């Protein structure tokens, strides 16, 4: 069927803008536009700005506009029509809904051509408070226990239908329509609850780590210097990290004739003298203390606890950072970096001198996520293959590849955690096209690190590079990519940039091979690195920190 229709405003505008010598010419162009005909264009969908409309009955306004549009926008089977199934909420021909002031819900039927859509409208009192029961929660990918989030609101009871739940990253955690959060994989994401009209949103940050990790240390928490002959004393132990699944320990004495100990940690002074009491975890980590047995009538028989606090013991596990000395001052280094015109990318401007000095000063980043820019990425973290595989569970083609990453890291002097987390980031947790395999000249090739994948056509260039390198399976892509990263970056003979700080500022060769112009690049990358490395509480981290002339060594916190 044909219809005589007026052309769009765009075509009419073009006709008007064309040169016309007189009014007759202009009118003839308009007439031409008016007689142009099209086939009828049917509506394919109806869209609305939000999933629902909320009218607040105690506000000054008791009405709202739905704002529905037909798709395509130039469909010819208009108008859009509306109807309500509840007399408490009415709707006119233009989609303007009005409440009679009562709490109610109406389903508005929106129609255009052959398309119908049901659209909810709620009339309720004003929502003065809208928050989630938790702002942060910790979960474990290998212990998939769900967590129930609830709405903290005023009024207390909200219709659940007016709340939409969603996850910022479903590969990390999902949420159902009732706020039940389920962990999927290691990482950090946010869970959101949003009013259906989009007017209020509440957020909870979800950290998903690993529960079943390897014991890094075991501590005797209440060791004493002495006990009396014939007395009993109960020792206690602490397994670190506390997410270790197997917390069993064994107790032993170097001389049970002097001090006996049972498997509950209860010691007994049997004979005067000194013996060493040891606790051992299931994977062989040990802690020991020498304890003296003194006679009951000894003048100084008061026991003194000699164990440090658990927090102090954990801090001692961190390796002391290595400081690399440079023969120029911090101010000289900052002045040179400033001369290169670095930028404050987040504010789209050149960085100030004081900002550059703050950014390059190592001691300014001694705590929090900032210290992660000094992690030595050329050192092993001594993380087990089992732990790596727990982390890689559910991550596409990377699942079960813990041994391959471990071997590739060892062969190329790279942190296994950096290699694993880098691959996860580059491949979208193992599901990207380059990770899944791309056919090049009849051969399927793989690229786990985005090497050679230029932005203009990442899949094309990344797959061609993989083809040239012979990365015809996932294992070859892991080992080959690790070798490339080692040779070109972390262990490069000319620019050995084994930390994020060195990648950005390159204190060994200032101004050369610096990876970014943004002064915040290293700290921003460090924040991501911390999020990823925090999933491995049993990892051993090594730090290398620049020490400029006149500066003092400092502790990391």
């Amino acid at each position: 069927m044909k219809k005589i229709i007026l052309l769009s405003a765009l075509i009419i505008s073009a006709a008007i803008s064309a040169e016309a010598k007189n009014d007759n010419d202009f009118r003839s162009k308009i007439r031409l536009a008016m007689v142009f005909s099209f086939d009828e264009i049917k509506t394919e969908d109806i869209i609305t700005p939000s999933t629902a409309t909320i009218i607040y009955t105690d506000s000054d306004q008791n009405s709202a506009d739905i704002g529905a549009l037909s798709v395509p926008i130039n469909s010819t089977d208009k108008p859009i029509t509306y109807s309500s199934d509840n007399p408490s909420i009415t709707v006119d021909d233009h989609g303007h809904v009005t409440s009679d002031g009562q709490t109610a819900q109406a389903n508005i039927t929106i129609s255009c051509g052959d398309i119908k859509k049901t659209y909810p409208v709620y009339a309720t009192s004003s929502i003065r408070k809208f928050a989630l029961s938790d702002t942060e929660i910790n979960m474990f990918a290998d212990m998939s226990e769900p967590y129930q989030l609830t709405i903290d609101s005023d009024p207390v009871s909200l219709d659940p239908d007016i709340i939409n739940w969603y996850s910022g990253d479903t590969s990390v955690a999902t949420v159902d329509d009732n706020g039940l959060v389920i962990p999927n994989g290691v990482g950090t994401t946010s869970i959101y609850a949003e009013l259906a009209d989009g007017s209020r949103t509440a957020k909870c940050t979800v950290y998903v780590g690993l529960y079943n990790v390897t014991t890094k240390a075991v501590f005797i928490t209440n060791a004493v210097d002495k006990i009396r002959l014939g007395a009993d004393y109960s020792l206690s132990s602490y397994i670190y990290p506390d997410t270790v699944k197997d917390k069993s320990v064994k107790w032993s004495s170097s001389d049970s004739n002097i001090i006996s100990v049972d498997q509950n940690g209860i010691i007994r002074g049997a004979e005067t003298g000194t013996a060493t009491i040891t606790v051992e975890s299931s994977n062989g980590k040990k802690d020991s203390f020498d304890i003296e047995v003194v006679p009951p009538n000894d003048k100084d028989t008061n026991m003194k606890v000699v164990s440090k606090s658990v927090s102090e013991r954990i801090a001692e596990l961190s390796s002391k950072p290595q400081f690399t000395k440079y023969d120029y001052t911090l101010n000289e280094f900052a002045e040179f970096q400033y001369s290169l015109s670095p930028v404050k990318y987040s504010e789209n401007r050149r960085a100030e001198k004081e900002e550059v000095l703050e950014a390059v000063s190592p001691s300014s980043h001694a705590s929090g996520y900032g210290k992660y820019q000094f992690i030595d990425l050329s050192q092993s973290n001594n993380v087990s293959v089992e732990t790596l595989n727990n982390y890689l569970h559910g991550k596409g083609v990377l699942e079960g590849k813990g041994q391959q990453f471990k071997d590739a890291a060892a062969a190329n002097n790279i942190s296994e955690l950096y290699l694993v987390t880098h691959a996860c980031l580059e491949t979208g947790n193992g599901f990207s096209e380059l990770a899944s395999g791309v056919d090049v000249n009849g051969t399927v090739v793989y690229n786990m690190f985005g090497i050679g994948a230029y932005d203009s056509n990442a899949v094309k260039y990344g797959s061609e590079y993989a083809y040239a390198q012979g990365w015809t399976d996932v294992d070859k892509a892991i080992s080959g990519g690790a070798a490339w990263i080692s040779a070109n970056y972390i262990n490069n003979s000319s620019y050995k940039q084994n930390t994020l700080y060195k990648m950005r500022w390159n204190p060994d060769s200032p101004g050369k091979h610096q990876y970014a112009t943004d002064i915040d690049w290293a700290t921003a990358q460090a924040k991501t690195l911390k999020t990823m490395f925090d999933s491995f509480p049993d990892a051993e981290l090594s730090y290398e920190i620049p020490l400029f002339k006149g500066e003092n060594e400092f502790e990391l916190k």
Side-chain angles (χ1 to χ4, degrees):
M1 164 180 157
K2 298 280 187 178
K3 275 189 175 180
I4 305 299
I5 62 170
L6 186 66
L7 287 179
S8 69
L10 180 63
I11 297 177
I12 294 175
S13 174
I16 293 172
S17 65
E19 277 191 348
K21 294 184 179 179
N22 54 53
D23 287 344
N24 287 334
D25 287 337
F26 172 76
R27 282 192 293 270
S28 67
K29 294 184 190 302
I30 295 295
R31 282 196 298 272
L32 178 62
M34 291 177 67
V35 300
F36 200 91
S37 66
F38 283 107
D39 287 332
E40 181 177 356
I41 301 173
K42 289 184 174 294
T43 295
E44 298 174 4
D45 195 8
I46 296 171
I47 60 173
T48 53
S50 58
T51 59
T53 290
I54 303 175
I55 298 172
Y56 298 103
T57 56
D58 53 354
S59 66
D60 294 336
Q61 244 180 343
N62 66 341
S63 62
D65 289 307
I66 294 175
L69 293 172
S70 60
V71 177
I73 199 166
N74 63 336
S75 57
T76 59
D77 50 5
K78 293 184 179 73
I80 298 175
T81 62
Y82 304 85
S83 63
S84 172
D85 67 354
N86 189 335
S88 289
I89 300 175
T90 58
V91 61
D92 66 15
D93 294 340
H94 304 288
H96 189 73
V97 287
T98 303
S99 165
D100 64 3
Q102 303 298 312
T103 298
Q105 175 187 348
N107 291 314
I108 305 299
T109 300
I110 310 173
S111 303
C112 190
D114 297 330
I115 304 299
K116 290 183 185 293
K117 181 173 184 175
T118 300
Y119 181 85
V121 176
Y122 304 91
T124 184
S125 56
S126 294
I127 299 171
R128 294 171 291 276
K129 180 182 180 182
F130 186 74
L132 288 176
S133 53
D134 301 83
T135 57
E136 292 185 354
I137 57 175
N138 292 287
M139 307 184 79
F140 302 103
D142 53 344
M143 189 175 68
S144 297
E145 293 184 1
Y147 190 90
Q148 182 66 60
L149 287 174
T150 57
I151 301 294
D152 181 11
S153 65
D154 181 12
V156 174
S157 253
L158 294 180
D159 186 335
D161 289 337
I162 71 171
I163 302 167
N164 295 325
W165 293 88
Y166 61 96
S167 168
D169 186 346
T170 55
S171 70
V172 176
T174 58
V175 62
D176 69 10
D177 292 340
N178 298 307
L180 188 69
V181 183
I182 298 174
N184 280 345
V186 174
T188 302
T189 189
S190 293
I191 297 297
Y192 300 90
E194 183 179 65
L195 290 179
D197 64 353
S199 61
R200 303 282 287 272
T201 303
K203 182 181 81 168
C204 174
T205 302
V206 180
Y207 303 96
V208 181
L210 296 174
Y211 180 79
N212 186 17
V213 294
T214 304
T215 298
K216 187 173 183 179
V218 59
F219 310 133
I220 298 175
T221 60
N222 62 341
V224 291
D225 59 344
K226 63 187 69 175
I227 62 170
R228 294 177 182 176
L229 182 65
D232 292 338
Y233 182 75
S234 181
L235 294 171
S236 58
S237 64
Y238 180 84
I239 294 286
Y240 177 75
D242 59 9
T243 59
V244 172
K245 188 175 182 179
D246 185 357
K247 291 184 169 64
S248 62
V249 295
K250 293 189 300 184
W251 293 90
S252 61
S253 170
S254 63
D255 191 338
S256 56
N257 292 321
I258 296 174
I259 301 178
S260 63
V261 60
D262 67 16
Q263 292 311 304
N264 294 312
I266 298 175
I267 59 174
R268 182 176 180 81
E271 183 181 303
T272 57
T274 300
T276 303
I277 302 300
T278 300
V279 65
E280 181 178 357
S281 68
S282 60
N283 69 333
K285 300 294 182 180
K286 297 179 181 180
D287 191 28
S288 301
F289 281 92
D290 292 337
I291 300 176
E292 182 184 5
V293 179
V294 296
N297 57 356
D298 191 280
K299 292 181 180 180
D300 185 16
T301 56
N302 292 325
M303 294 186 300
K304 180 174 70 175
V305 175
V306 292
S307 298
K308 295 180 181 179
S309 69
V310 169
S311 59
E312 288 177 300
R313 298 293 302 277
I314 292 173
E316 290 173 349
L317 294 176
S318 300
S319 59
K320 186 178 180 181
Q322 172 188 337
F323 286 88
T324 302
K325 294 183 178 180
Y326 293 92
D327 61 0
Y328 44 84
T329 68
L330 176 62
N331 283 331
E332 289 170 340
F333 184 57
E335 283 283 349
F336 178 79
Q337 292 293 344
Y338 179 73
S339 72
L340 301 178
S341 300
V343 300
K344 183 81 171 175
Y345 182 79
S346 61
E347 299 178 18
N348 194 28
R349 62 173 173 81
R350 181 176 176 178
E352 302 289 342
K353 277 188 178 181
E354 296 77 11
E355 292 173 327
V356 176
L357 179 61
E358 173 79 10
V360 302
S361 171
S363 62
S364 296
H365 309 286
S367 61
Y369 64 82
K371 68 183 180 183
Y372 279 70
Q373 64 189 282
F374 304 118
I375 287 180
D376 187 346
L377 302 177
S378 68
Q379 299 296 315
S380 171
N381 311 112
N382 291 322
V383 173
S384 68
V385 170
E386 179 185 9
T387 299
L388 293 177
N389 280 332
N390 284 338
Y391 179 82
L392 294 169
H393 176 71
K395 290 180 167 52
V397 299
L398 304 180
E399 181 166 356
K401 296 296 182 180
Q403 187 66 61
Q404 286 78 2
F405 279 108
K406 187 84 170 174
D407 292 345
N412 295 284
N413 297 320
I414 300 178
S415 151
E416 62 268 34
L417 294 195
Y418 176 73
L419 205 59
V420 165
T421 54
H422 186 173
C424 289
L425 286 171
E426 288 290 345
T427 64
N429 284 327
F431 290 99
S432 71
E433 190 172 352
L434 281 172
S436 302
V438 178
D439 189 305
V440 178
N441 299 328
T443 300
V444 177
V445 293
Y446 303 80
N447 194 326
M448 297 299 120
F449 301 98
I451 298 170
Y454 302 113
D455 288 343
S456 57
N457 194 332
V459 173
K460 177 180 184 294
Y461 293 119
S463 60
E464 287 177 351
Y465 190 89
Y467 179 81
Q469 299 300 313
W471 296 343
T472 54
D473 59 40
V474 173
D475 292 0
K476 290 177 182 176
I478 291 172
S479 60
W484 188 93
I485 292 169
S486 177
N488 289 276
Y489 294 90
I490 295 174
N491 294 297
N492 180 275
S493 57
S494 299
Y495 301 110
K496 189 180 179 184
Q497 291 166 293
N498 55 311
T499 69
L500 293 173
Y501 183 94
K502 284 185 174 182
M503 291 178 187
R504 171 59 186 93
W505 302 110
N506 199 2
D508 293 286
S509 301
K512 298 179 181 178
H513 213 242
Q514 296 186 176
Y515 293 3
T517 57
D518 180 17
I519 62 169
D520 297 321
W521 181 86
T523 50
Q525 298 298 316
K527 190 172 186 178
T528 300
L529 199 64
K530 178 185 185 301
T531 299
M532 305 297 275
F533 276 30
D534 278 356
S535 301
F536 301 90
D538 56 338
E540 296 178 9
L541 304 180
S542 302
Y543 298 87
E544 183 184 343
I545 304 174
L547 189 66
F548 298 102
K549 185 188 294 184
E551 300 291 314
N552 297 318
E553 295 185 4
F554 55 87
E555 292 184 358
L556 296 177
K557 302 176 183 177

